[in-house]
Amino acid sequence: MIRTAAFIACLCVAAGASAANTETCSTPLAPAAAPAVDTAALDAYIQRGLREWKLPGVSVAVVKDGHPVYVKGFGTRSLRDGGTVDADTLFGMMSTTKAMTALALAMLVDEGKLGWDDPVIKHLPGFALSDPYVTRDLRVRDLLTHNSGLGNTDLLWARGDFDAHEIIARLRGLPLSYPLRGGFAYQNVMYQVAGEVIGAASGMPWADFVDARILRPLAMTRSYSTLARMQAARDGNVSAAHFEIDGKIHVIAESPVDAVPAAGAAWSSAADTAKWLEFMLGDGCVGDKRLVSTANFHELLKPQVMVPAGEFYPTAKLTQPHWTSYGLGWFQQDYRGRFVAMHTGSMDGRTAIIGLMPDERLGVYVFGNLDHAEFRHALMWKLFDAYTGAPARDWSQELLALYGGMHADGKAAQAKQDAARVRGTKPTHALTAYVGTYRHPVYGDVTVTRAGTTLHLAMGPLPDNAGALQHWHYDSFRVKLGDGRYGWNPVTFRPGADGGIAALRLFDDSSEALEFRRVAKP
């Protein structure tokens, strides 16, 4: 019986390994009757959008009925160094990379090297979260659906001094925010855990797998799995990241995601993402070669979890979907009776968005090089409308109003917080009493030093995470980190039983989640 069971298991693995290879790719459908699109008017619309959103540059790819129909670049690569954006200009893909991580897992499911519902610890025996039950029951699928129970953990990789293995090891020290599969909280680090599963199951690091099994077969010859690999190529046609700081747009240094590459480290261009769109609209095929089985390709776009309104894109206020869900690396909604799969990518100074309308065989990709310039959403919906013959809407103006209102709300909340300041107070201790090292068991150390009459805070080695403390009231201070791009952040010191300073809290002084306790001097 044991030998029989083992023989059957081998047959199953063999069948899985050939699942994609044994399926043929169907003959591409003839192009459907498509509306005539005035591309000159689109060009003008995008040029106007650059001005309205203060965007230095964008690049755009549209694929319809299996072919690129609009692939262009607009504007400037860098306000400091110049250069024209074209279809080959490189931009960061950021979180749109997640769909590639999900595809890599699908390929390994085809090969029988893992299953969607395998326990994660089957492939990563050392992996653990704070709850033993969740550690045992967390499945590979759960790594991709933002419902593991973990809240936001981006501070782990934003520090700049932890590698992927250290980041994942530290997860076990964090309490869960909600029950497994009982909520939705966007999670980058879980995608890196998925990347480690890919490495364990395939014997190849995530970046090598993506290069060999996705980018090369799709002939994405100027795309890269990580920032480091892109920079090593010394390609001169690369956009710069931009950020508006104190009313002026500045070129800023790149913010690497390479510590958690499976969450969002890839780089590409409009011309290359057109190939990615063709693949995603081609049912898992490249020409007559199938890269992933039909079943597992469809699994990627199948709704897996419902997304609460507060966790979905604000644009839903305008698109008015009947439902919002998340697949495996894809946000999803309905629009004008059609299924839409989409995902944004955001990193300091950069934006990206991808959108698929599979029933229309229509895909859109937009890159931008200004932080959170939401023209990406406007352009995606504009292009969806244009290539499906929908009534024209000025999405740019509508979204300027929407996000302008959100910005005004944010300023009003800041004004309310400022009004609560108790003026005329002083710190309860001399400045030297605040100097020291403060430690969080998961998020590491924060140091406070003194230079003259000013306290300085630093978290990790990156200058982006350091800044001078300005007294607010009592034992509360505030800090602008790095170049100040994110404005003021509160820092509150907490006294201990002995009257001295025992801890500091970052960002939200009402929560113990980011409390760093003072390390006793030796």
Side-chain angles (χ1 to χ4, degrees):
M1 289 295 293
I2 294 175
R3 291 186 64 182
T4 301
F7 177 68
I8 293 172
C10 289
L11 285 178
C12 291
V13 170
S18 60
N21 295 332
T22 57
E23 286 188 65
T24 59
C25 290
S26 58
T27 303
L29 297 173
V37 175
D38 186 343
T39 56
L42 276 180
D43 292 352
Y45 186 85
I46 293 171
Q47 294 286 9
R48 177 164 66 90
L50 294 182
R51 296 190 297 271
E52 291 173 339
W53 293 87
K54 304 182 197 177
L55 255 167
V58 297
S59 63
V60 185
V62 180
V63 168
K64 182 77 171 77
D65 297 325
H67 302 284
V69 292
Y70 189 84
V71 183
K72 291 187 178 183
F74 299 84
T76 303
R77 295 200 304 255
S78 169
L79 292 181
R80 182 185 60 204
D81 303 322
T84 300
V85 174
D86 59 29
D88 293 315
T89 300
L90 291 171
F91 289 80
M93 294 183 74
M94 290 85 74
S95 284
T96 67
T97 304
K98 288 179 168 66
M100 292 185 174
T101 298
L103 173 62
L105 287 171
M107 292 173 168
L108 293 170
V109 173
D110 277 345
E111 295 169 14
K113 294 180 178 178
L114 58 83
W116 289 118
D117 295 309
D118 283 354
V120 173
I121 57 174
K122 176 180 178 180
H123 303 280
L124 302 176
F127 175 79
L129 296 176
S130 60
D131 186 316
Y133 160 70
V134 177
T135 298
R136 291 193 303 272
D137 199 49
L138 190 75
R139 308 304 171 103
V140 169
R141 185 189 308 273
D142 297 323
L143 299 176
L144 306 180
T145 53
H146 307 293
N147 63 352
S148 65
L150 272 179
N152 188 292
T153 55
D154 287 347
L155 191 59
L156 280 168
W157 57 271
R159 287 182 56 97
D161 54 352
F162 296 155
D163 64 16
H165 293 115
E166 178 73 12
I167 290 167
I168 293 171
R170 286 174 174 262
L171 293 179
R172 70 186 64 200
L174 288 172
L176 298 184
S177 300
Y178 58 91
L180 173 62
R181 306 182 197 103
F184 187 94
Y186 193 80
Q187 240 302 328
N188 283 304
V189 175
M190 280 292 130
Y191 264 80
Q192 183 53 37
V193 178
E196 299 301 317
V197 170
I198 290 165
S202 70
M204 301 171 64
W206 175 89
D208 291 347
F209 190 98
V210 169
D211 285 349
R213 300 289 299 276
I214 300 175
L215 300 182
R216 288 177 201 157
L218 295 182
M220 296 174 69
T221 56
R222 295 190 61 260
S223 297
Y224 304 90
S225 53
T226 66
L227 172 65
R229 294 185 182 198
M230 184 279 289
Q231 291 176 329
R234 298 186 180 278
D235 193 309
N237 191 0
V238 181
S239 63
H242 296 77
F243 209 109
E244 184 172 351
I245 305 169
D246 297 329
K248 184 178 180 181
I249 297 175
H250 299 263
V251 173
I252 63 171
E254 297 297 343
S255 297
V257 193
D258 287 7
V260 286
W267 283 69
S268 192
S269 66
D272 264 14
T273 52
K275 300 171 184 176
W276 174 236
L277 290 170
E278 287 181 57
F279 171 76
M280 287 305 303
L281 294 166
D283 209 37
C285 290
V286 181
D288 60 357
K289 181 179 181 182
R290 177 167 291 283
L291 298 189
V292 61
S293 68
T294 302
N296 279 313
F297 180 81
H298 289 172
E299 193 72 21
L300 300 176
L301 296 179
K302 183 188 298 181
Q304 306 283 331
V305 298
M306 303 307 293
V307 180
E311 300 292 335
F312 202 74
Y313 297 111
T315 50
K317 294 178 181 179
L318 301 177
T319 58
Q320 294 290 303
H322 294 88
W323 50 266
T324 55
S325 59
Y326 198 88
L328 300 179
W330 297 90
F331 282 97
Q332 299 158 329
Q333 67 169 91
D334 61 297
Y335 174 65
R336 295 180 56 81
R338 298 169 174 90
F339 169 83
V340 172
M342 59 188 288
H343 212 294
T344 53
S346 303
M347 202 58 210
D348 287 12
R350 297 190 172 281
T351 61
I353 194 167
I354 186 171
L356 305 177
M357 199 176 275
D359 292 340
E360 294 289 336
R361 300 167 65 198
L362 174 62
V364 173
Y365 201 106
V366 180
F367 289 113
N369 60 350
L370 176 64
D371 193 82
H372 280 86
E374 299 304 339
F375 184 55
R376 57 179 166 179
H377 283 280
L379 191 48
M380 183 187 76
W381 294 113
K382 174 72 173 178
L383 291 164
F384 276 163
D385 284 351
Y387 283 92
T388 57
R393 291 176 67 172
D394 193 341
W395 286 99
S396 183
Q397 286 300 309
E398 291 188 53
L399 284 166
L400 280 168
L402 174 65
Y403 282 97
M406 293 170 61
H407 181 68
D409 290 345
K411 291 185 70 174
Q414 182 63 54
K416 183 178 180 181
Q417 184 181 21
D418 292 348
R421 180 182 186 181
V422 181
R423 300 186 179 276
T425 67
K426 295 181 179 180
T428 59
H429 296 70
L431 292 184
T432 52
Y434 301 89
V435 171
T437 298
Y438 299 80
R439 181 166 297 158
H440 189 282
V442 174
Y443 292 117
D445 290 354
V446 169
T447 59
V448 177
T449 57
R450 179 183 175 184
T453 60
T454 303
L455 295 174
H456 292 265
L457 177 144
M459 180 176 56
L462 302 179
D464 287 347
N465 296 327
L469 290 172
Q470 182 185 94
H471 183 248
W472 183 245
H473 62 202
Y474 302 117
D475 281 335
S476 291
F477 292 72
R478 61 181 187 171
V479 62
K480 283 187 176 180
L481 298 173
D483 55 20
R485 66 187 65 162
Y486 287 115
W488 292 106
N489 294 283
V491 178
T492 302
F493 291 89
R494 182 177 63 79
D498 62 358
I501 301 301
L504 67 78
R505 291 180 180 177
L506 291 180
F507 309 138
D508 181 1
D509 61 9
S510 67
S511 170
E512 295 182 4
L514 289 178
E515 180 168 287
F516 292 69
R517 296 185 180 181
R518 190 168 194 165
V519 178
K521 294 182 180 179

